[in-house]
Amino acid sequence: MLRHLSTLYRCLLLLSLTWAGASHAKSPNILFIFADDHTIQAIGAYESWLQDFAQAHDLTPNLDRLAEQGAIFDNSFCGNSICGPSRATILTGKHSNANGFYGNNAELKPKDGFDGSQWTFPKELQKAGYNTGVFGKWHLGSEPTGFDEWKVIPGQGSYYNPDFRTPDGMIQVQGHSTQAITNLSIEFLKKQSDDSPFLLMCQFKAPHRTWMPDTDQFDYLRDAVIPKPDTLYDIYETRSSPLWHQEMEIGRHMQYEHDLKINPPLVTYDIQNPHYKRLTPEQRKAFDAFYGPRNRSFEAANLTGLELLEFKYEEYIKDYLRCIKEIDDQVGRLLAALDESGMADDTLVIYSADQGFYLGEHGWFDKRWMYEESLRMPLIARWPGKIKPGSKPEALVQNIDYAPTFMEVAGLKSPKNLHGESMVSILKGKTPSNWRESIYYRYYEYPGPHMVARHRGVRDDRYKLMHFYVTDEWELFDLEEDPQEINNVYENSDYQGIVKRLKKTLAQHEKTYDVPNKDPF
Ligand code: CA
C-alpha cells in the first residue's frame, strides 16, 4: 500500500513538474495590429517626403517607439493591393489565385465570400491551444473561422458607433470605430493569462475612405500647412495608357459629399452620408461646428483649377492624417494594456496594414497599382529578447509571409503548399541565404472602382517590371535612379538585359505560384 502511495506521489510530482515545464515553454503570444490603407508615408519612422512633417506634428509617436523597440521593414510588400485579397493572403499564406479571393467585386471572389474551410493560420494556432480573437474589419464576406472570439464590422462598417457581427448576432459599440475596435481588443486581452498563449488580431477600419476622423481629432493639423508630393501634378508621360483611364485622381474623381464632407450649394454636410447618419446629436454638433465654417469659406472662395485641386488635396490629407493620429493614440492604449497585463515580454507585436495608399502621389488617392506607394505595406515588429531594438531588415518580404511566420512563432510546421516563407530568422537578425530576390504582384479588379487596369509584375531590390496584360503594355522602373516612378525605361536600350532577366523571373514566379495565364473570370 505504502509503495503504491509512493508511486502515486512520484507520478503526481512528475506530472506537476511536466506542467511547470510546459508553462515555461509556452508559445509566445501574438498581438497583430492591422490597419486598413495605412501607408508608410503616414508613419513618422518611415523615410518619405512626408516624414519631416509627420515627425514635426507628432503623427505616430507610439508606432515610432514600437519601431525603435523592434524592427521596421523597408521592403515589405503586398501581392494584390486591395483590402479583401490582402486579408485572404494574410490568413492563408497564398497569393489570390490560390486562396480564391481575387478582388472585392462579386465575380472575383467565391459566391459566399472567403472560403473559410481552407487552411488558415488562426485555425492552426487555435488547434494548438492558442486563445484566438479577431476584432474590427474583416471584409471577407464569410464568417471568421479559427477564432474563439470574433466581433467584426459588416463589410466596410461605420466610422462612428459601429455595428459588429458576432457569433450571437449584431451588437453596437459606442465611439469612433478605432476606439471601439481597441476597446474590444483590450477586453479580450484582459481575459488572457499565462495559462495559454493568445493570438489577438486588432483590425482597424481607419484610415479607409472616406477618412472620417474622431470628433476629438478635428483640432489636429487645423492650421498646418501640408507639404505636397513632387508628383501631385503628374501627367503620366512615358507611362502606359491605363494611367490615362484610371478614375482615382484627387482633382477629377474625389467626391465632394463623402470624401470632402462638402455638399455645395447647401453648405451644410450631406445628411445622406451613412457615417454622418450614425453620429449622436453631440457628435453631430461637433462635426457641423468643424466642417460648417470651412464649407462656407470654401463656397465663398469659389476655387477653380489648380487652387481647387490643392484645396481638395489639403483637406483630404488632413482628414486622412487625423484618422492616423487616432490610430496611433489607440495603439498606445493597446500597448499600455499589454504592459499592464505583464505579458509584453512574451508577446510578438506586429503592426501592419493591408496595403499602402496614395497621399497625392501621381495626383491620386486610393491604392491598387503596383507602384511603390500602394505596393508597400508598413511592417513593424517588436519581440523582446528576440528582435534587436532598432533593426532595419532589408529582406524583401510580402503578405504571403505572415502565416508561415506566425506558425513558426507558435512552434508549428507550415504545410508545404504555402507561397510564403517564415520571417522568424529575419526578425532575429539573420536573413536566410536562399531568401527570395524578388516579389510577385498581380491585380485583377477591372472593371471596378477607380478603373485600374489588370496588371502583373515583379520587383527586386532595384528594378520593377510591370505588364498591363489586357493592352499588352510594359513598364520598367529603375528605382535607384527614379524612386518616384515617372520615367518608364522599358524601351531604353540600356535596360534590355534587365527587361529580359525580369521577364524570365516573372514567368518563374507564375510557375512557382501556379498562376493561370488567363484569368478565370
Ligand atoms: Ca485596404
Side-chain angles (χ1 to χ4, degrees):
M1 181 69 187
L2 260 179
R3 225 183 73 208
H4 281 144
L5 271 178
S6 128
T7 312
L8 186 66
Y9 175 73
R10 275 207 307 274
C11 282
L12 282 173
L13 186 71
L14 194 68
L15 209 57
S16 74
L17 281 174
T18 314
W19 276 338
S23 89
H24 266 292
K26 194 197 81 171
S27 298
N29 309 305
I30 298 169
L31 170 55
F32 179 25
I33 314 171
F34 199 57
D36 193 357
D37 296 0
H38 190 176
T39 192
I40 64 117
Q41 306 94 292
I43 295 180
Y46 269 103
E47 214 174 283
S48 81
W49 62 271
L50 198 55
Q51 185 178 33
D52 290 347
F53 179 87
Q55 289 182 350
H57 289 84
D58 210 23
L59 179 65
T60 52
N62 291 297
L63 291 176
D64 301 350
R65 196 174 62 243
L66 196 67
E68 277 167 25
Q69 293 167 341
I72 180 164
F73 286 72
D74 246 351
N75 294 311
S76 154
F77 307 101
C78 60
N80 181 0
S81 181
I82 186 168
C83 308
S86 181
R87 286 151 201 272
T89 290
I90 293 274
L91 291 172
T92 60
K94 293 172 187 164
H95 284 297
S96 308
N97 64 292
N99 65 45
F101 208 99
Y102 291 88
N104 293 335
N105 283 2
E107 66 275 19
L108 299 187
K109 61 187 178 190
K111 191 166 79 51
D112 300 317
F114 175 72
D115 173 12
S117 70
Q118 66 185 302
W119 185 95
T120 67
F121 83 85
K123 289 199 291 193
E124 297 302 309
L125 266 59
Q126 186 185 41
K127 270 192 265 172
Y130 270 72
N131 294 332
T132 56
V134 62
F135 305 95
K137 183 159 171 180
W138 180 247
H139 207 209
L140 290 168
S142 52
E143 287 197 349
T145 54
F147 294 96
D148 300 311
E149 279 189 48
W150 54 269
K151 295 185 173 84
V152 298
I153 56 177
Q156 299 284 8
S158 303
Y159 259 112
Y160 306 109
N161 314 313
D163 291 333
F164 288 82
R165 293 160 60 200
T166 80
D168 308 316
M170 204 76 94
I171 60 163
Q172 189 180 14
V173 180
Q174 293 302 305
H176 187 264
S177 77
T178 305
Q179 292 162 10
I181 291 162
T182 307
N183 291 348
L184 297 175
S185 301
I186 290 176
E187 264 173 41
F188 176 86
L189 189 60
K190 282 189 169 162
K191 283 185 274 185
Q192 305 308 310
S193 71
D194 280 335
D195 296 341
S196 43
F198 66 81
L199 163 71
L200 167 53
M201 292 169 62
C202 168
Q203 311 207 138
F204 297 123
K205 166 185 173 50
H208 190 278
R209 190 185 191 186
T210 50
W211 322 292
M212 309 287 267
D214 181 30
T215 50
D216 287 351
Q217 298 291 2
F218 286 148
D219 274 337
Y220 183 62
L221 304 181
R222 194 189 275 256
D223 301 314
V225 179
I226 308 288
K228 297 181 185 69
D230 291 342
T231 58
L232 182 62
Y233 312 104
D234 196 356
I235 52 168
Y236 317 125
E237 282 176 307
T238 79
R239 279 147 292 161
S240 309
S241 66
L243 280 82
W244 292 90
H245 303 303
Q246 45 68 33
E247 296 177 0
M248 53 186 277
E249 288 171 36
I250 293 169
R252 291 195 300 150
H253 307 110
M254 190 167 265
Q255 298 169 346
Y256 283 97
E257 293 86 347
H258 292 190
D259 295 337
L260 293 160
K261 299 94 185 169
I262 291 172
N263 189 17
L266 298 175
V267 185
T268 55
Y269 188 58
D270 175 18
I271 57 162
Q272 295 308 311
N273 181 295
H275 299 291
Y276 183 83
K277 277 181 174 175
R278 295 183 69 92
L279 290 165
T280 62
E282 199 185 332
Q283 289 169 329
R284 199 174 275 208
K285 220 172 124 189
F287 199 94
D288 292 340
F290 177 68
Y291 289 109
R294 186 209 60 173
N295 290 353
R296 280 189 286 281
S297 60
F298 169 74
E299 195 186 33
N302 201 17
L303 305 173
T304 55
L306 281 186
E307 278 185 338
L308 178 60
L309 165 64
E310 286 169 7
F311 169 85
K312 288 177 168 180
Y313 166 75
E314 285 196 18
E315 295 303 312
Y316 156 52
I317 297 299
K318 283 183 179 181
D319 278 348
Y320 181 96
L321 296 181
R322 287 175 183 127
C323 289
I324 300 300
K325 185 73 182 153
E326 183 64 30
I327 285 183
D328 190 78
D329 285 355
Q330 298 303 318
V331 166
R333 263 185 78 215
L334 187 54
L335 294 177
L338 180 64
D339 285 341
E340 272 167 42
S341 76
M343 294 184 286
D345 282 345
D346 201 19
T347 302
L348 165 65
V349 179
I350 298 264
Y351 184 85
S352 179
D354 52 357
Q355 15 61 215
F357 214 70
Y358 295 91
L359 299 184
E361 299 91 350
H362 307 294
W364 293 336
F365 61 100
D366 213 71
K367 52 242 180 186
R368 300 163 196 274
W369 304 96
M370 198 195 166
Y371 303 116
E372 291 294 273
E373 290 81 1
S374 48
L375 177 67
R376 294 177 71 180
M377 284 166 68
L379 176 56
I380 296 172
R382 184 185 77 183
W383 196 4
K386 302 286 198 307
I387 299 176
K388 200 169 147 231
S391 302
K392 292 187 172 168
E394 287 174 3
L396 276 70
V397 301
Q398 213 170 4
N399 51 357
I400 49 176
D401 299 324
Y402 287 57
T405 302
F406 294 142
M407 289 292 283
E408 189 179 345
V409 169
L412 303 171
K413 233 179 144 56
S414 290
K416 285 205 162 49
N417 68 351
L418 301 196
H419 291 169
E421 302 287 338
S422 168
M423 299 183 277
V424 167
S425 57
I426 298 171
L427 291 172
K428 290 179 176 172
K430 209 170 157 138
T431 301
S433 57
N434 61 350
W435 191 257
R436 74 172 68 86
E437 287 174 359
S438 63
I439 57 115
Y440 174 70
Y441 184 87
R442 188 153 176 151
Y443 172 81
Y444 301 88
E445 196 175 281
Y446 183 94
H450 302 292
M451 299 301 277
V452 171
R454 295 181 189 192
H455 58 291
R456 60 190 190 122
V458 61
R459 183 206 191 277
D460 66 16
D461 60 357
R462 177 161 175 183
Y463 300 103
K464 182 186 293 178
L465 180 74
M466 291 168 59
H467 184 213
F468 294 97
Y469 52 91
V470 176
T471 52
D472 194 24
E473 290 170 88
W474 293 85
E475 294 185 350
L476 179 77
F477 297 99
D478 181 340
L479 300 169
E480 205 172 287
E481 298 290 327
D482 175 30
Q484 293 175 333
E485 298 168 295
I486 47 178
N487 188 21
N488 170 20
V489 291
Y490 178 76
E491 304 279 359
N492 186 319
S493 57
D494 293 346
Y495 288 92
Q496 291 318 298
I498 311 283
V499 167
K500 207 173 153 197
R501 173 168 67 76
L502 288 182
K503 278 190 174 174
K504 213 170 136 193
T505 310
L506 181 59
Q508 275 164 358
H509 278 309
E510 293 195 328
K511 197 173 165 210
T512 306
Y513 301 137
D514 205 14
V515 186
N517 276 335
K518 201 174 162 339
D519 294 338
F521 37 79

